[in-house]
Amino acid sequence: MGCHLCELACSVTHHDVFDPGRAYLGIRSVYVDDGLLVRASLCIGCDACVDACPTGAVSRENGGYVVQRDLCTGCGACVQACPQQVVRITDGVAGMCDMCRDAGMPQCVQWCRPGALVVAG
């Protein structure tokens, strides 16, 4: 089923609340022929959010994404463009994985007890 600690770590790091629905990643459990499969939806760094933003509010910086709050209109184009469905609009502003640049390392990785999440590259 997944422990969801990564989602909780993400949401509390970015929103000061334990709410998996506000995390910039998602853990889903699905049944397949062989049993239960846990799948993670993570930012894959495809830049679809950057390309979709009509105001240029989204950019990539140090492996993560930065949203300039004063330019973001909250239109949701980045949400629609994200193939992993891990971009959120919160309080009228887009949010996405920034690799937890203020925390020093991605907190989803830090709190992943099974070690399933790692920083690649």
Side-chain angles (χ1 to χ4, degrees), residues 60-78:
R60 187 198 280 252
E61 188 174 299
N62 297 326
Y65 291 96
V66 175
V67 177
Q68 294 182 49
R69 297 180 64 87
D70 58 327
L71 294 179
C72 180
T73 63
C75 70
C78 52

Side-chain angles (χ1 to χ4, degrees), residues 84-102:
Q84 296 294 307
Q85 302 177 338
V86 292
V87 176
R88 313 273 185 254
I89 301 291
T90 303
D91 299 327
V93 177
M96 56 203 66
C97 182
D98 64 358
M99 299 295 281
C100 296
R101 66 179 181 278
D102 293 337

Side-chain angles (χ1 to χ4, degrees), residues 2-12 18 20 23 25 27 107-114 117:
C3 66
H4 300 268
L5 278 175
C6 54
E7 294 172 315
L8 296 174
C10 180
S11 69
V12 77
F18 292 109
L25 72 155
I27 305 298
Q107 294 302 290
C108 57
V109 173
Q110 173 94 17
W111 284 91
C112 182
R113 294 300 173 238
L117 297 177

Side-chain angles (χ1 to χ4, degrees), residues 47-56 58 72-83 87-89 94 96:
D47 291 345
C49 53
V50 174
D51 296 339
C53 182
T55 64
V58 182
C72 180
T73 63
C75 70
C78 52
V79 174
Q80 296 299 316
C82 179
V87 176
R88 313 273 185 254
I89 301 291
M96 56 203 66

